[in-house]
Amino acid sequence: IVPYSAIQFYAYENAKRILEGWTGTSLTPPLRLVAGALAGMTSVTLTYPLDMVRGRLTVQSSVKHYRGICNALVVISQQEGVTALFKGLLPTLIVRLIVERQLFIE
């Protein structure tokens, strides 16, 4: 999803600025990890509905339930509730934290 990287970069810079203001110094590696994890979690949370809709559009059979991304967002929100757009978010966030940790360690 295209906005993911832009959101992650923006969130990382803001988290870094906040953490640097909080500590009064430049960030240590563990605090950079925290900033990266916060940025990753923010970008995943904000783009998750688009990713979920992309998955549903991909698995449509010959019976078309959705006409496109915007239609899918509206139909899912109306029929299943807005929270349906975030089904499966928690496991995704947990995996994201593990990936961030692995990237930091290696």
Side-chain angles (χ1 to χ4, degrees):
I1 304 290
V2 173
Y4 179 86
S5 295
I7 293 169
Q8 185 178 30
F9 179 74
Y10 179 77
Y12 177 75
E13 291 301 318
N14 279 304
K16 195 170 79 168
R17 182 179 47 81
I18 290 167
L19 289 171
E20 284 173 344
W22 182 57
T23 62
T25 63
S26 61
L27 295 183
T28 61
L31 285 177
R32 282 198 304 270
L33 173 64
V34 170
L38 290 172
M41 290 171 43
T42 301
S43 55
V44 166
T45 302
L46 293 176
T47 60
Y48 196 80
L50 295 174
D51 199 33
M52 191 275 298
V53 164
R54 181 179 55 104
R56 288 211 187 174
L57 289 171
T58 301
V59 298
Q60 284 190 110
S61 60
S62 58
V63 177
K64 301 293 183 193
H65 298 283
Y66 314 110
R67 293 187 306 266
I69 293 173
C70 292
N71 176 255
L73 287 167
V74 170
V75 170
I76 292 166
S77 296
Q78 288 175 343
Q79 292 180 354
E80 302 174 43
V82 175
T83 57
L85 297 172
F86 295 93
K87 283 182 182 173
L89 177 62
L90 183 59
T92 302
L93 288 174
I94 292 168
V95 169
R96 180 66 190 183
L97 284 173
I98 293 168
V99 168
E100 289 291 334
R101 180 179 163 273
Q102 286 303 108
L103 291 173
F104 175 74
I105 291 173
E106 294 178 6

